[in-house]
Amino acid sequence: MRRILEWHLWFTLLLALSLAGAAASPLFAQATSKLKVLASTADLAALAAEVGGERAEVQSLVRGNQHPHFVQAKPSYLLKLRKADLLIIVGLELESGWLTRSHHTPSLVSQSGNARIQPGAPGYFDASQYAEIVDMPSGPITPSIQPFGNPHYWLDPENGRKIAQALAHKLGELRPSDASYFDDRFRVFSKRLSDAEEIWNAEMRPYRGCKVVTYYRSWSNFLKYFQLVSVGEIEPQPGIPPSRDHASELVNLMKSQNVGIILVEPYFELKTPNNIARKTGAKVVVLPSSVGGEKGITDYFQLFDYDLAVLTKAFRSKS
Amino acid sequence: MKVTRRFLCPKRSVVIMFAVALVFLHSVDAAAQTGSDDLRAEVKALLERVRALETEVQALKGASAGPTQSAMNAAPPAPQLPPPGTPADSSTQLPVYGGASAAAKALNPDIGIIGNFVGAAGHNSINPLPALALQESEISLQSIVDPYARADFFLAIGENDIEVEEGYVTFTSVPWGFVPRVGRMRAAFGRVNTFHNHTLPWVDRPLVAFNLMGGSLTEADVGIKDTGISISRILPAPKGIFLEGTGEVFRGDSGSLFHSSRRTDVSVVGHLRGYRDLTESTNIELGGSYTRGHNDLGSNFITQLYAMDATLRWKPVRGPRLHSFAARTELVWSNREQVAATQRAFGFFASAEYQLGRRWFTGGRYDWSERAQNALQQDSGGSLVLTYWPSEFSQIRGQLRRTHYAEGQTANELLLQVLFTIGAHGAHPF
């Protein structure tokens, strides 16, 4: 009997500690505070910041210089997840390895103890539902295929617009008193984006139809929008370096089709692209695919400004 | 509106066929009432649609051969925005493969299977592993139950037996940040105990898992695991520190560690862990654990374990992820009540892993542990490990292991492991 009482005391002590923590819970935060928006990637955070303005506190879990597929699920992410009013994910399985699924414990979202951001709750926002998805598989699914289509869809400005509009609507749902504010912010963003697109398209018009090789199939939306053509990838399957045969085939293809540009994200190794470039005379162009991928890229517009400046300079040098 | 399983009876196909028949009859009825002029107009409209589609196909064929000059000169299309908050067109959604019956797959849980093949060479008469064995095949079934819960099942299948290694429901929408779990689960005792075999950085488990924590080579997956209730919560802590407390109550049966003779012979677990990012790439995690239950001598005999664990990690978040480092240690103290007196024993392990290149890892581990029933018997050992990852879905690992047993024998062994996974692939442990 004494021993049963002992473990009851231990358990009660733990519960008491937890309840003490509850007093500091976000539940007691004032309703007038900013909406806490947490995006899985810096790009979605940038779009949320455009429409959220001063009435949303926006953070991202992953920085723009990280490979969004190979992220370590840090416990410190839980500190952000448990406070969020809205969780924005890329979806299409991009975060399945570290955020939305887990092998041996509940996923980070499940562990957060935040009912607001669970799948199906009002604070769970899968941005892929509002974007045009490319590279949809049409045959058997193999590990080298992205089973739900290409998750790098934010690299099409039109998708950026669609996601921003849906986000403005979602923020208005969560905070009806500010719905008109978010709508106004979206309209301003949409106008700025239209103006920017005119400039971007003018810059890229001379290079439409040009052929490139990418490190991995992460630029499909970008290439489609700017009417560039990809003839192949250095790494056909994520995380697996190319075989000699594949590299040799790619070199021959690049020579035969006169491909002069190799696009590589900053988080990939440069040894293989440089080897291929030496054999083909192509130019390796390091191109960030996310906001924050390089210093100075702090918003969605700057991502395209930076990338197009680098890309057009590379095309000019090859012509 | 979300369709849940309870609305889908086994007669679903009959209901669908009935609905299709109703629609067909309705269309026939409507056609009978439509005038011939309307029919001509409809046919004309359909023909125009077919021509438009043919034009689209031709345009697409042309696009695959490179953009046409007219397309290259065309201005970007004006943005066509959906109504606010409307999901994208269904043409962008995942097609369903496998025929009409595949629609049912939408309600299936995520299914994954992990094979763990282990080979052993060398001599070991104390804890002999078979020369070749499919040590464990783990099937994972994971899914959201409803807006308030998710379920995770992990079935550990040995060559001749099967057990529910873990099977629990997690309630995700409980107030005040509590996260309760109910079912069978690995106890939140220490750090490595929560890892499944295939997530370990070694082929085997440390000696302390066998000597003090009740592990046995006869189990498909060694560890303190039991059936009960777990409640965890993130606790308030100074800025930047993650602090989590977990309390668990189990039935009181776990390997040779705990044995429940009566309903009141429950075991309890308490775990507190703290984590902090030291830099962008470096972090440290410290934990303290306690567990208490009744041992195999009867209800009047208690075993208590105390543990401390520490993990230091360095993993650059920028760049091509070619190198990383992790060091970990766990110390376990055991107080086991026996007929003569309480037996106090201690054990620990310390290990380090270093990433040599993109897909190559090496590491080492040192083990030292007394035995729970007789602390005068001490085992120790060391291992060197080399791991190759062909992809994120498979691993090939070799481990040189040298163990000094209390019986006076020294075992030198080479262990080989091949891990492979198919299906849903979740996060690796952190």
Side-chain angles (χ1 to χ4, degrees):
Chain A
M1 189 65 193
R2 181 179 59 81
R3 283 169 181 155
I4 293 171
L5 281 172
E6 265 180 35
W7 69 256
H8 269 295
L9 280 171
W10 277 103
F11 205 67
T12 308
L13 182 67
L14 187 77
L15 282 176
L17 272 172
S18 306
L19 284 168
S25 156
L27 192 76
F28 298 95
Q30 288 184 1
T32 54
S33 63
K34 293 180 180 181
L35 270 174
K36 289 184 171 62
V37 178
L38 181 63
S40 63
T41 66
D43 309 282
L44 296 180
L47 291 168
E50 293 287 350
V51 294
E54 294 173 351
R55 301 188 190 179
E57 183 185 308
V58 182
Q59 285 185 298
S60 72
L61 288 172
V62 178
R63 299 182 183 199
N65 53 19
Q66 287 179 262
H67 193 316
H69 183 71
F70 295 101
V71 176
Q72 287 263 290
K74 295 182 182 181
S76 49
Y77 291 165
L78 288 167
L79 294 176
K80 294 179 178 178
L81 285 163
R82 69 187 290 252
K83 294 175 183 173
D85 297 311
L86 175 65
L87 173 66
I88 309 168
I89 66 163
V90 172
L92 306 181
E93 295 285 283
L94 185 79
E95 303 101 335
S96 65
W98 56 276
L99 179 64
T100 55
R101 194 191 294 153
S102 177
H103 258 324
H104 68 302
T105 59
S107 67
L108 282 182
V109 175
S110 302
Q111 283 185 70
S112 68
N114 183 348
R116 298 184 299 277
I117 60 164
Q118 298 304 315
Y124 185 86
F125 183 94
D126 182 343
S128 69
Q129 297 294 307
Y130 304 92
E132 183 196 355
I133 308 301
V134 299
D135 296 340
M136 294 294 287
S138 55
I141 303 291
T142 66
S144 62
I145 288 175
Q146 292 160 324
F148 300 97
N150 198 311
H152 301 81
Y153 52 77
W154 64 85
L155 288 164
D156 176 342
E158 284 308 311
N159 276 342
R161 187 194 313 274
K162 291 169 187 169
I163 294 163
Q165 186 185 29
L167 274 171
H169 185 70
K170 171 56 72 176
L171 292 173
E173 271 182 6
L174 295 175
R175 187 64 58 81
S177 58
D178 289 333
S180 59
Y181 172 83
F182 298 131
D183 284 343
D184 291 344
R185 295 271 320 177
F186 166 70
R187 275 193 286 274
V188 171
F189 168 77
S190 184
K191 174 70 172 63
R192 285 174 60 212
L193 190 62
S194 296
D195 295 344
E197 282 181 283
E198 278 186 34
I199 296 165
W200 295 336
N201 279 295
E203 284 178 0
M204 290 300 292
R205 190 165 289 118
Y207 309 109
R208 285 179 183 173
C210 286
K211 292 173 180 173
V212 300
V213 158
T214 61
Y215 192 96
Y216 179 60
R217 190 178 290 187
S218 42
W219 292 94
S220 302
N221 286 91
F222 182 90
L223 301 179
K224 184 185 175 193
Y225 179 81
F226 290 109
Q227 297 182 36
L228 302 173
V229 179
S230 171
V231 301
E233 296 87 35
I234 291 173
E235 189 178 89
Q237 189 169 330
I240 302 177
S243 64
R244 284 187 182 180
D245 287 349
H246 176 78
S248 170
E249 280 175 28
L250 194 62
V251 166
N252 294 335
L253 188 68
M254 288 174 70
K255 283 178 178 174
S256 66
Q257 301 213 19
N258 195 27
V259 179
I261 298 290
I262 301 173
L263 302 184
V264 184
E265 286 95 325
Y267 44 73
F268 286 127
E269 52 88 24
L270 288 172
K271 186 181 169 187
T272 313
N274 284 335
N275 283 342
I276 292 171
R278 269 194 297 274
K279 291 173 183 171
T280 58
K283 185 178 178 67
V284 175
V285 180
V286 177
L287 214 57
S289 59
S290 284
V291 173
E294 289 288 346
K295 281 183 181 176
I297 306 177
T298 57
D299 65 28
Y300 193 66
F301 295 94
Q302 287 171 1
L303 174 63
F304 289 97
D305 287 342
Y306 181 96
D307 280 359
L308 297 186
V310 170
L311 200 51
T312 51
K313 185 181 174 185
F315 277 130
R316 280 196 300 272
S317 73
K318 295 303 295 180
S319 57
Chain B
M1 190 182 118
K2 188 184 171 187
V3 180
T4 57
R5 287 181 192 80
R6 65 173 172 273
F7 296 121
L8 294 174
C9 63
K11 304 289 184 189
R12 183 179 51 234
S13 56
V14 176
V15 174
I16 291 168
M17 284 168 64
F18 182 69
V20 169
L22 273 177
V23 171
F24 176 74
L25 287 170
H26 174 76
S27 61
V28 168
D29 184 49
Q33 293 173 31
T34 307
S36 58
D37 291 347
D38 292 345
L39 275 172
R40 282 195 201 96
E42 256 187 80
V43 170
K44 190 180 175 184
L46 284 169
L47 282 169
E48 282 173 2
R49 179 73 185 133
V50 169
R51 287 191 195 105
L53 286 168
E54 282 174 347
T55 309
E56 271 187 58
V57 169
Q58 291 304 321
L60 285 168
K61 282 181 180 174
S64 66
T68 60
Q69 192 59 39
S70 60
M72 285 162 62
N73 295 331
Q80 296 291 316
L81 292 178
T86 307
D89 186 87
S90 59
S91 63
T92 66
Q93 302 306 304
L94 179 71
V96 177
Y97 304 102
S101 64
K105 291 177 185 175
L107 293 175
N108 283 351
D110 291 333
I111 301 171
I113 304 175
I114 296 162
N116 184 356
F117 173 88
V118 174
H123 179 71
N124 186 336
S125 59
I126 308 294
N127 275 321
L129 284 168
L132 300 166
L134 185 61
Q135 188 185 69
E136 182 198 18
S137 305
E138 183 183 282
I139 297 179
S140 61
L141 304 156
Q142 300 172 279
S143 180
I144 293 164
V145 177
D146 54 32
Y148 318 106
R150 64 166 291 124
D152 297 84
F153 277 82
F154 303 97
L155 310 179
I157 304 170
E159 287 184 341
N160 302 307
D161 59 351
I162 180 169
E163 70 160 353
V164 178
E165 183 184 3
E166 295 195 278
Y168 53 81
V169 62
T170 305
F171 297 98
T172 54
S173 301
V174 172
W176 301 309
F178 287 101
V179 183
R181 283 197 281 164
V182 176
R184 182 171 173 80
M185 63 200 85
R186 299 185 74 89
F189 183 84
R191 194 73 192 92
V192 168
N193 187 69
T194 60
F195 289 12
H196 290 195
N197 276 351
H198 60 88
T199 60
L200 292 169
W202 327 286
V203 176
D204 61 344
R205 287 190 181 260
L207 283 172
V208 70
F210 296 93
N211 288 9
L212 299 185
M213 293 162 67
S216 160
L217 283 177
T218 59
E219 294 176 279
D221 205 346
V222 172
I224 303 175
K225 49 190 184 292
D226 203 347
T227 304
I229 300 166
S230 168
I231 299 177
S232 62
R233 191 187 189 283
I234 298 169
L235 303 174
K239 196 175 180 183
I241 294 178
F242 168 84
L243 194 64
E244 182 186 56
T246 304
E248 297 175 332
V249 179
F250 293 121
R251 185 175 65 221
D253 289 305
S254 179
S256 59
L257 178 65
F258 296 135
H259 178 72
S260 173
S261 310
R262 304 174 304 196
R263 281 186 179 175
T264 52
D265 288 354
V266 296
S267 62
V268 293
V269 177
H271 180 66
L272 185 69
R273 69 165 171 154
Y275 167 95
R276 191 169 194 279
D277 286 315
L278 300 177
T279 67
E280 180 187 69
S281 308
T282 311
N283 53 71
I284 189 167
E285 186 171 341
L286 300 172
S289 310
Y290 169 78
T291 185
R292 178 184 190 280
H294 301 258
N295 64 40
D296 54 353
L297 296 176
S299 294
N300 295 324
F301 296 91
I302 300 294
T303 293
Q304 295 181 85
L305 296 183
Y306 304 84
M308 289 180 65
D309 61 87
T311 308
L312 178 73
R313 302 178 193 84
W314 170 75
K315 192 176 181 74
V317 296
R318 307 182 200 197
R321 313 178 318 277
L322 294 176
H323 302 289
S324 63
F325 174 78
R328 66 184 89 236
T329 184
E330 286 194 32
L331 300 88
V332 181
W333 291 266
S334 166
N335 290 352
R336 176 183 155 92
E337 292 181 355
Q338 299 187 154
V339 176
T342 297
Q343 188 65 232
R344 301 180 193 281
F346 170 73
F348 79 98
F349 76 86
S351 73
E353 302 106 44
Y354 180 70
Q355 184 181 354
L356 296 165
R358 189 166 172 180
R359 297 188 288 170
W360 287 93
F361 297 77
T362 188
R365 189 185 77 218
Y366 178 75
D367 289 323
W368 191 94
S369 179
E370 296 167 338
R371 296 187 186 175
Q373 296 185 32
N374 182 0
L376 296 174
Q377 294 188 302
Q378 298 159 2
D379 304 321
S380 63
S383 291
L384 288 173
V385 181
L386 184 65
T387 306
Y388 174 65
W389 290 58
S391 74
E392 62 178 311
F393 304 102
S394 61
Q395 290 177 46
I396 300 167
R397 176 174 289 138
Q399 179 174 340
L400 281 171
R401 185 173 76 175
R402 182 179 175 87
T403 314
H404 303 285
Y405 288 106
E407 288 81 356
Q409 294 185 20
T410 298
N412 295 307
E413 296 164 286
L414 171 63
L415 308 180
L416 174 73
Q417 181 182 45
V418 179
L419 285 164
F420 49 97
T421 179
I422 55 176
H425 181 60
H428 294 287
F430 185 75

